[in-house]
Amino acid sequence: MHWIEYTGLTTAVTILTQPSPADLAQEIRKYHNLTKKPFNINITLLSTLIPLDYGTYVQTIIQKNMKVIKTAGNNPGPIIKQLKQAGVIVIHKYTTLHHAHSAIKLGVDFLFINSFECGGHVREHDITSLILLEQARQELGVPFITSRGFINGYRLAAAMALGTENINIGTRLICTVESSIHSKVKKIIIAAQETDTALVIRQWSNTTRLFANRVAKAALSIEKESAASQFKKITPLINKKRR
């Protein structure tokens, strides 16, 4: 949900959409002016071309007295420690049960299942929702919610039958009136088929599911023709500036 999660679409704030901690603080203020209801900040720890100072972002979050934070991506240990010391409730997103158990040891309060069906970062294990939910129901001692491919009441009922507390909806919200995405993009997404996505950056272990538009297909073509050492060939199509 990069570049979408702003105050117009009142959901979680993703720090990767905020150029600096000051911008994040401003966005938090906007949310507080719009609603008295709780919301969370999403801290996604990714390998980026321009590294972020996550610690500074976390300090801003703590100073703004945020109560709930969701972490995801690379090792969240230092971030979780910083948040827990400030009394923040931490939700961690995971893609395997191994990662879930590690997060529990780090002291997370809630878990967020992220399966292969997602739009965005699918990670590298290709484990589907039904497998992860069933394992979570049997093994985890903390509550969990699920995401990726859950878009309506039917799928909510299926997820709850497997033990989840609730579902998270992402891509579908792109097509709402409140979303800042262009109306033509919304129409294309609504008309899309289940085959209209592409998995890119797979050979660099940062697999991402994108809508299979011209740019995504071009990136995929370059990736298929390039060696792992030739990442720079694909960067003009996937870097932050291009997005």
Side-chain angles (χ1 to χ4, degrees), residues 28-111:
I28 292 171
R29 284 194 294 271
K30 290 180 182 178
Y31 270 84
H32 283 308
N33 291 333
L34 281 174
T35 180
K36 301 302 180 184
K37 295 182 179 180
F39 61 93
N40 80 276
I41 306 293
N42 177 35
I43 304 175
T44 303
L45 303 154
L46 296 177
S47 300
T48 58
L49 295 174
I50 303 175
L52 292 178
D53 183 358
Y54 287 103
T56 305
Y57 278 93
V58 171
Q59 194 57 45
T60 298
I61 289 167
I62 293 170
Q63 290 172 354
K64 288 298 178 182
N65 200 30
M66 294 299 300
K67 302 298 184 184
V68 182
I69 301 298
K70 180 164 70 70
T71 59
N74 298 330
N75 179 18
I79 298 297
I80 290 175
K81 182 178 180 181
Q82 191 176 355
L83 292 169
K84 295 301 293 182
Q85 287 176 344
V88 178
I89 294 172
V90 179
I91 305 170
H92 182 65
K93 182 164 66 176
Y94 72 95
T95 57
T96 71
L97 265 289
H98 171 74
H99 292 144
H101 288 299
S102 296
I104 291 172
K105 291 178 181 178
L106 291 171
V108 299
D109 304 282
F110 221 100
L111 287 165

Side-chain angles (χ1 to χ4, degrees), residues 1-238:
M1 300 291 283
H2 296 177
W3 325 120
I4 302 165
E5 290 181 317
Y6 296 103
T7 48
L9 181 61
T10 307
T11 58
V13 181
T14 302
I15 71 164
L16 292 182
T17 64
Q18 309 303 318
S20 70
D23 291 293
L24 175 61
Q26 182 177 357
E27 196 71 7
I28 292 171
R29 284 194 294 271
K30 290 180 182 178
Y31 270 84
H32 283 308
N33 291 333
L34 281 174
T35 180
K36 301 302 180 184
K37 295 182 179 180
F39 61 93
N40 80 276
I41 306 293
N42 177 35
I43 304 175
T44 303
L45 303 154
L46 296 177
S47 300
T48 58
L49 295 174
I50 303 175
L52 292 178
D53 183 358
Y54 287 103
T56 305
Y57 278 93
V58 171
Q59 194 57 45
T60 298
I61 289 167
I62 293 170
Q63 290 172 354
K64 288 298 178 182
N65 200 30
M66 294 299 300
K67 302 298 184 184
V68 182
I69 301 298
K70 180 164 70 70
T71 59
N74 298 330
N75 179 18
I79 298 297
I80 290 175
K81 182 178 180 181
Q82 191 176 355
L83 292 169
K84 295 301 293 182
Q85 287 176 344
V88 178
I89 294 172
V90 179
I91 305 170
H92 182 65
K93 182 164 66 176
Y94 72 95
T95 57
T96 71
L97 265 289
H98 171 74
H99 292 144
H101 288 299
S102 296
I104 291 172
K105 291 178 181 178
L106 291 171
V108 299
D109 304 282
F110 221 100
L111 287 165
F112 184 109
I113 295 177
N114 189 53
S115 59
F116 178 68
E117 293 94 331
C118 78
H121 291 277
V122 304
R123 307 311 292 174
E124 311 309 314
H125 305 285
D126 299 1
I127 305 173
T128 61
S129 294
L130 285 177
I131 300 300
L132 279 174
L133 283 172
E134 177 65 9
Q135 288 181 302
R137 181 185 65 80
Q138 294 181 42
E139 295 186 27
L140 301 183
V142 300
F144 59 92
I145 59 177
T146 189
S147 184
R148 314 318 182 188
F150 293 93
I151 60 171
N152 55 30
Y154 292 101
R155 300 189 192 187
L156 169 61
M160 293 186 74
L162 288 171
T164 188
E165 299 291 333
N166 214 323
I167 59 173
N168 177 73
I169 298 176
T171 304
R172 184 165 185 166
L173 296 179
I174 291 174
C175 301
T176 60
V177 172
E178 293 81 3
S179 168
S180 60
I181 296 300
H182 196 284
S183 60
K184 289 184 178 181
V185 176
K186 296 177 185 179
K187 290 176 182 177
I188 290 171
I189 291 173
I190 291 170
Q193 302 299 308
E194 73 275 13
T195 53
D196 290 337
T197 65
L199 294 174
V200 302
I201 333 179
R202 170 144 281 198
Q203 71 163 310
W204 293 286
S205 300
N206 195 14
T207 305
T208 306
R209 185 186 304 280
L210 302 178
F211 180 76
N213 61 11
R214 177 176 54 82
V215 177
K217 290 177 180 177
L220 187 61
S221 177
I222 292 172
E223 180 173 359
K224 288 179 178 180
E225 297 169 359
S226 302
S229 61
Q230 297 175 312
F231 183 68
K232 62 182 180 180
K233 287 187 176 182
I234 201 173
T235 53
L237 293 175
I238 64 168

